Amino acid sequence: LALWTTVFGAGGGVPRFISVFEYLVSIPLLYIVGNYFFNRRVALLATAMLALSPISLVWSRQMRMYEQAQLLSLLTVYLFYRAIQERHRVRFVYFAAISLIVMYLSHEETFITLPAILLCILMASWDKQKGFPSVLTQKHWWFAACICVGAIVTQLLLVHFTTPPLLGTDQTQRPFVSFTIDNIPYYFDLLFVPNVLGKGAFPWITLNSILCVVGCILARYRGDLRAKYCALFSVVSLVTLVLLFVSQADRYIYTLLPYYYLMGAF
């Protein structure tokens, strides 16, 4: 953003153009991902949900990095599944790893997706004959894992040993990661009873949330691996957000919206 404003200036809507551009890219990308995981009808409906979502129309034009985090989370989860299914294309493993690193560095809140991505990879690569995930025996997956862990650990070490911290903090200097159950009522109201929080601008979120729950239940019982993969990512990421991220704001669900809408459309 600093480089962008240095070159093009900070007047008018110039600093917002990066987020707007990423939002415009995310719309056809969601259609491609939805068509890959499900079918054309599900992809079209999910894409329409994202394109017309009030919360997306708000945060897709902000100078903050939520839109970039959302775009890269959508891409990362998709690339990891492609890497599992197309093992002869080793490049997908490294593309997914790079996408994950850039996603994490875009906004630290995306740590909520990391446990979900790990579980999704293990579930999707489970070998019934051998009784364990096949990725554990493939060296390229271990190389990619080392790259991801190394990048994240480097960032955390910079935060810990630099004074003032160069990365990964804000003016409050408060830790935002801790186990809590205080968020459960907040996010339940946000997703299912929006009027309680005065969210009059998001009238359809209750319907979207009910559809997403039904979609996740259907995925569990229909035996469709791709649907299970998307449902597992959505559920685990949301649970991690609710139980481990102590700060509360409606924008924190923004990163999860593409797969949230995909499961609702499904």
Side-chain angles (χ1 to χ4, degrees), residues 67-231:
E67 183 58 47
Q68 184 167 298
Q70 184 198 83
L71 173 64
L72 289 167
S73 68
L74 171 63
L75 182 62
T76 300
V77 176
Y78 165 69
L79 288 176
F80 272 120
Y81 191 86
R82 289 285 300 269
I84 294 168
Q85 297 301 314
E86 302 174 34
R87 298 175 187 176
H88 59 289
R89 297 185 176 181
V90 176
R91 63 181 182 274
F92 275 123
V93 179
Y94 295 103
F95 287 159
I98 293 170
S99 181
L100 184 146
I101 292 169
V102 179
M103 174 194 73
Y104 175 79
L105 295 178
S106 297
H107 200 293
E108 276 192 307
E109 186 236 339
T110 56
F111 86 88
I112 65 172
T113 67
L114 300 183
I117 290 173
L118 176 60
L119 289 176
C120 285
I121 292 171
L122 296 177
M123 185 272 292
S125 64
W126 188 266
D127 190 322
K128 294 182 179 179
Q129 294 181 344
K130 296 179 180 179
F132 60 86
S134 61
V135 296
L136 297 180
T137 62
Q138 298 171 19
K139 64 180 181 180
H140 292 290
W141 282 90
W142 285 105
F143 292 157
C146 290
I147 293 171
C148 292
V149 171
I152 293 173
V153 169
T154 299
Q155 187 263 347
L156 294 175
L157 289 175
L158 281 172
V159 174
H160 183 73
F161 289 108
T162 53
T163 306
L166 295 175
L167 293 170
T169 186
D170 62 9
Q171 294 177 351
T172 65
Q173 298 290 300
R174 291 172 50 207
F176 290 109
V177 181
S178 178
F179 178 77
T180 179
I181 60 173
D182 295 339
N183 289 342
I184 295 176
Y186 177 86
Y187 285 105
F188 180 84
D189 289 344
L190 174 65
L191 294 171
F192 294 98
V193 196
N195 289 333
V196 172
L197 297 177
K199 304 298 180 184
F202 308 150
W204 291 102
I205 196 168
T206 299
L207 178 59
N208 288 136
S209 299
I210 293 172
L211 289 174
C212 182
V213 170
V214 174
C216 290
I217 294 173
L218 285 175
R220 169 65 179 82
Y221 289 101
R222 283 196 175 184
D224 185 331
L225 179 60
R226 296 187 179 193
K228 285 183 177 180
Y229 180 86
C230 294

Side-chain angles (χ1 to χ4, degrees), residues 19-78:
S19 289
V20 172
F21 175 75
E22 289 168 341
Y23 171 63
L24 295 176
V25 170
S26 71
I27 294 174
L29 178 61
L30 180 57
Y31 174 78
I32 293 170
V33 172
N35 201 31
Y36 177 81
F37 280 122
F38 299 101
N39 55 52
R40 183 171 176 268
R41 290 180 298 172
V42 171
L44 284 172
L45 181 55
T47 304
M49 288 178 174
L50 180 69
L52 302 176
S53 167
I55 191 171
S56 293
L57 296 175
V58 170
W59 284 100
S60 64
R61 61 176 185 263
Q62 301 296 323
M63 287 185 287
R64 302 172 75 176
M65 290 297 156
Y66 290 103
E67 183 58 47
Q68 184 167 298
Q70 184 198 83
L71 173 64
L72 289 167
S73 68
L74 171 63
L75 182 62
T76 300
V77 176
Y78 165 69

